[in-house]
Amino acid sequence: MTAQKLDGTATAAAIKAELTTRVAALAARGVVPGLGTLLVGDSPASRSYVNGKHKDCAEVGIASIRAELPADASQADIEAAVQRLNDDPACTGYIVQLPLPQGIDQNRVLELIDPDKDADGLHPTNLGRLVLRVNDPVTSPLPCTPAGIIELLERYGVPLQGADVVVVGRGVTVGRSIGLLLTRREVNATVTLTHTGTVDLAEHTRNADVVIAAAGVPGVVTAEIVKPGAVVVDVGVSRELDAVTGKSRVVGDVHPNVWDVASWVSPNPGGVGPMTRAMLLSNVVRTAELQAG
């Protein structure tokens, strides 16, 4: 068996094409969605990430709003910038680029974001709405990476209703939040959350229909611990030196031998990453549509 690829790059491109049409429909009504970014300092990695967001915006017709502060900005400076984005009517949603400089109370900053403008979908209020609204429609922004994973699986026809899903990793971005989406009644999966304290990881993963690897541990999921025919989603991101080129490269949590036993695998890179970026745009467009009635 050789697994088929869950192509996040192609799927994200299709989503962006759909969003372009929706943004054009909003523009015909005089509504222009705007995505804001708050960047503190000038980390090359953070700047590259933020630039990518604004490149995505240009592709689909979303307005870009950039807020930048120096690395020595105070807590008060950063909080004031957040408030300006909260108050800016042109800003439909925004992100605060992490990490913030050492000494800044990051959680306090994130909790100051207007939940309705939370483009990442990770504000405590929005996560709480997912907890409360198991059966009801959710109109608040959704966590981008979990939403992107589910969208990717559904577009490839992977059945989630009644599926046994094992999540490896308990980070807020994926591990702790994806279960809130997967266990909603409209999806109806059964979710097991595993982590570094799990005594026997293989005992869980060998019985899973879907494995979502989001631990940030290279090769933690191997063929030996995956059920034949399972679907495996590689989310974790680590960096290691390429033995041939000597350059740093991205590696995921899924060992290459998993492709020999799984039915579907999302590659890393080229899988969940592009989907996360697409769902960030989707959150902004969806918010603009709801506000426009």
Side-chain angles (χ1 to χ4, degrees), residues 116-140:
D116 291 336
K117 292 191 173 189
D118 167 32
D120 271 331
L122 292 172
H123 190 282
T125 297
N126 291 329
L127 293 178
R129 286 168 176 160
L130 284 178
V131 172
L132 293 172
R133 297 173 186 175
V134 175
N135 301 311
D136 303 323
V138 177
T139 56
S140 52

Side-chain angles (χ1 to χ4, degrees), residues 199-212:
V199 175
D200 189 350
L201 176 62
E203 176 66 23
H204 300 283
T205 55
R206 284 196 188 110
N207 296 310
D209 301 310
V210 179
V211 177
I212 298 172

Side-chain angles (χ1 to χ4, degrees), residues 168 200-208 211 219-227 258 261:
V168 185
D200 189 350
L201 176 62
E203 176 66 23
H204 300 283
T205 55
R206 284 196 188 110
N207 296 310
V211 177
V220 67
V221 175
T222 63
E224 292 75 21
I225 69 169
V226 172
K227 180 174 71 173
V258 168
V261 299

Side-chain angles (χ1 to χ4, degrees), residues 29-82:
R29 301 174 60 187
V31 177
V32 179
L35 173 66
T37 57
L38 173 55
L39 176 64
V40 183
D42 199 24
S43 158
S46 292
R47 182 164 290 282
S48 175
Y49 187 82
V50 166
N51 287 345
K53 295 290 176 286
H54 292 291
K55 178 177 178 291
D56 290 341
C57 286
E59 288 181 20
V60 302
I62 295 174
S64 289
I65 300 162
R66 291 178 181 259
E68 299 188 4
L69 294 172
D72 60 356
S74 67
Q75 181 84 26
D77 292 335
I78 297 171
E79 291 181 11
V82 168

Side-chain angles (χ1 to χ4, degrees), residues 28-290:
R29 301 174 60 187
V31 177
V32 179
L35 173 66
T37 57
L38 173 55
L39 176 64
V40 183
D42 199 24
S43 158
S46 292
R47 182 164 290 282
S48 175
Y49 187 82
V50 166
N51 287 345
K53 295 290 176 286
H54 292 291
K55 178 177 178 291
D56 290 341
C57 286
E59 288 181 20
V60 302
I62 295 174
S64 289
I65 300 162
R66 291 178 181 259
E68 299 188 4
L69 294 172
D72 60 356
S74 67
Q75 181 84 26
D77 292 335
I78 297 171
E79 291 181 11
V82 168
Q83 192 56 54
R84 286 194 293 273
L85 289 169
N86 284 343
D87 295 338
D88 185 353
C91 177
T92 309
Y94 68 95
I95 64 167
V96 175
Q97 179 60 36
L98 302 179
L100 292 173
Q102 190 172 5
I104 298 298
D105 186 340
Q106 186 166 287
N107 286 335
R108 175 176 167 81
V109 170
L110 296 178
E111 289 178 15
L112 288 174
I113 295 173
D114 178 346
D116 291 336
K117 292 191 173 189
D118 167 32
D120 271 331
L122 292 172
H123 190 282
T125 297
N126 291 329
L127 293 178
R129 286 168 176 160
L130 284 178
V131 172
L132 293 172
R133 297 173 186 175
V134 175
N135 301 311
D136 303 323
V138 177
T139 56
S140 52
L142 300 175
C144 292
T145 303
I149 291 169
I150 294 172
E151 187 76 15
L152 182 62
L153 293 173
E154 289 181 338
R155 288 193 180 223
Y156 275 91
V158 174
L160 292 174
Q161 286 276 342
D164 286 323
V165 180
V166 169
V167 180
V168 185
R170 55 183 165 187
V172 174
T173 304
V174 181
R176 301 188 74 80
S177 53
I178 192 166
L180 297 176
L181 289 175
L182 285 169
T183 55
R184 284 178 46 73
R185 198 171 298 277
E186 65 180 8
V187 180
N188 235 23
T190 298
V191 179
T192 301
L193 176 60
T194 64
H195 45 75
T196 52
T198 300
V199 175
D200 189 350
L201 176 62
E203 176 66 23
H204 300 283
T205 55
R206 284 196 188 110
N207 296 310
D209 301 310
V210 179
V211 177
I212 298 172
V217 179
V220 67
V221 175
T222 63
E224 292 75 21
I225 69 169
V226 172
K227 180 174 71 173
V231 177
V232 181
V233 180
D234 194 352
V235 188
V237 174
S238 304
R239 287 193 170 272
E240 64 178 26
L241 288 179
D242 188 296
V244 177
T245 66
K247 296 181 179 180
S248 174
R249 66 185 182 94
V250 171
V251 293
D253 286 2
V254 176
H255 192 281
N257 63 16
V258 168
W259 288 77
D260 296 330
V261 299
S263 60
W264 293 91
V265 177
S266 72
N268 194 350
V272 173
M275 293 298 298
T276 298
R277 289 171 60 167
M279 299 317 289
L280 181 76
L281 300 178
S282 180
N283 273 341
V284 172
V285 174
R286 184 164 169 257
T287 297
E289 289 171 337
L290 288 169

